[in-house]
Amino acid sequence: MTSLALRLLPAIAVAVVLTGAGIAGQSGADTAAAHVAAAKAAAGQDHGGLFDRVCAPAVAPAAPAAPAAAAAQPAGAPDRSQWHVEPARVFDNLYFVGEKEYSAWAVKTSAGIILIDAIFDYSVEDEVVNGLKTLGLDPATIRYVIVSHAHRDHIGGARLLQERFGARVVMSAADWELLANTAGSWPKPTRDMVATDGQRLTLGDTTVTMYLTPGHTLGTISTVIPVKDGGAAHTAVAWGGTAFNWTTNRTAYITADRPDRFWFETYIKSAERFRDLAAKNGADVLIANHTNFDGSKTKLPALAARRAGAPHPYVIGNQSVQRYLTVADECAKAGLLRLK
């Protein structure tokens, strides 16, 4: 690629976002199809996993679904071969310690570790505890576990970390309530720290900022995290909840005062707000709690093969981060219009 083409890439990315938004904004074009087209334009070559997951029309279940937090996995542990992956250092201070499909991220600071999500109760020992040891880090130094939302695939391992290492579990008030009302015999953490919107959590030399972005659940948390690559500073954002669970797990979400429209409108507001926050913070790195959404299934192998001085697979630029959230926003708008 020529140097001129490289210089033009940010402008091209901006044009894609503006064009996509313009499609739905034209007079008389506020239709589900127009918003899907806008989402597809925003997705480009970067965010197909997100687009494919949230822009397809929902298929109603044949029978009432179990509550989302209890239905994520069967009670018994699947065979390790189905979920295990090796841990990886992604940035100087950020490590992947998740599964094939579900992510957990360890932020290393000068005073210990902040963990973002705790995956399942059956995999936390293998992936988080042993994964940190494999990476040369001490799991006993986990000081905080920020849980994006109270579904078992993200909070299931929190109790082990809470009891064994004294880690503080951080979650929104709404999702602590969700957890308290969640059925299932898997081990749940004791209610601990309550996150508030815009709360800054400092550990040693690192401060992460948590924002309440309801939609996936009433108290979903999205987080801004400073990271470094060879000393170069970057800003990562973690969008805390992605799928439109209320379209399938209806018994867990839909009530008289919280119909489908409520959930779509809430999700839209959160996606737009967090996109603005990503822009304001200059976020150029995107991480997710499912490996399909941030491309970790391809980015982790690419990172392992990365040569000195080569581009970092996770550094996608601020416009691409914003486009990701535009996909979430536009697909939710399409879902809302499909209700009519």
Side-chain angles (χ1 to χ4, degrees):
M1 184 177 289
T2 66
S3 60
L4 175 60
L6 286 171
R7 290 197 299 273
L8 287 174
L9 279 177
I12 293 170
V14 173
V16 168
V17 174
L18 293 178
T19 300
I23 291 171
Q26 294 171 0
S27 177
D30 189 22
T31 64
H35 286 291
V36 169
K40 188 171 184 179
Q45 300 300 311
D46 309 79
H47 307 308
L50 174 65
F51 176 82
D52 292 342
R53 180 65 177 85
V54 296
C55 253
V59 178
Q73 281 283 0
D79 187 85
R80 184 174 184 266
S81 64
Q82 297 180 30
W83 49 263
H84 175 77
V85 294
E86 289 299 303
R89 188 179 82 163
V90 177
F91 286 92
D92 298 354
N93 63 326
L94 182 69
Y95 300 78
F96 178 86
V97 287
E99 305 180 25
K100 288 180 180 179
E101 303 295 336
Y102 307 96
S103 303
W105 300 90
V107 182
K108 183 181 73 172
T109 81
S110 62
I113 293 169
I114 300 171
L115 190 72
I116 310 295
D117 280 335
I119 51 178
F120 284 101
D121 44 298
Y122 61 75
S123 60
V124 65
E125 177 95 42
D126 184 89
E127 300 288 19
V128 175
V129 177
N130 295 337
L132 288 172
K133 293 177 181 178
T134 297
L135 294 165
L137 302 175
D138 184 359
T141 66
I142 299 173
R143 300 292 179 247
Y144 298 100
V145 180
I146 298 174
V147 178
S148 61
H149 60 278
H151 289 166
R152 184 183 173 189
D153 47 343
H154 306 294
I155 195 172
R159 180 170 173 175
L160 181 145
L161 304 174
Q162 187 182 55
E163 292 183 343
R164 186 179 300 180
F165 305 122
R168 303 295 305 276
V169 178
V170 186
M171 194 161 58
S172 68
D175 275 36
W176 278 117
E177 182 178 350
L178 172 62
L179 182 67
N181 292 305
T182 295
S185 60
W186 51 277
K188 301 173 182 68
T190 301
R191 185 182 174 107
D192 196 357
M193 292 180 64
V194 176
T196 57
D197 187 48
Q199 181 177 350
R200 292 163 60 86
L201 179 64
T202 299
L203 182 63
D205 58 359
T206 303
T207 298
V208 302
T209 308
M210 297 173 286
Y211 295 95
L212 301 187
T213 53
H216 187 69
T217 64
L218 286 177
T220 296
I221 296 173
S222 296
T223 310
V224 177
I225 308 159
V227 296
K228 292 184 178 180
D229 176 38
H234 297 278
T235 300
V237 292
W239 177 234
T242 304
F244 305 154
N245 281 2
W246 59 92
T247 63
T248 52
N249 294 311
R250 300 185 64 79
T251 57
Y253 283 83
I254 303 302
T255 62
D257 59 338
R258 292 174 187 156
D260 300 75
R261 174 172 292 278
F262 165 86
W263 289 101
F264 278 117
E265 290 174 346
T266 300
Y267 191 104
I268 289 164
K269 290 176 183 177
S270 291
E272 291 178 347
R273 179 185 180 226
F274 199 60
R275 181 178 59 200
D276 291 343
L277 288 166
K280 179 180 178 181
N281 283 278
D284 57 353
V285 173
L286 174 78
I287 60 174
N289 47 26
H290 289 259
T291 55
N292 280 341
F293 297 141
D294 61 7
S296 282
K297 289 181 179 179
T298 57
K299 288 177 181 177
L300 289 173
L303 189 63
R306 181 191 182 201
R307 296 183 178 181
H312 194 295
Y314 281 89
V315 178
I316 61 176
N318 184 253
Q319 291 298 331
S320 185
V321 172
Q322 291 185 63
R323 286 193 287 109
Y324 181 92
L325 292 159
T326 294
V327 175
D329 176 35
E330 293 291 346
C331 291
K333 288 175 178 174
L336 178 61
L337 287 168
R338 288 185 183 120
L339 299 177
K340 295 182 178 179

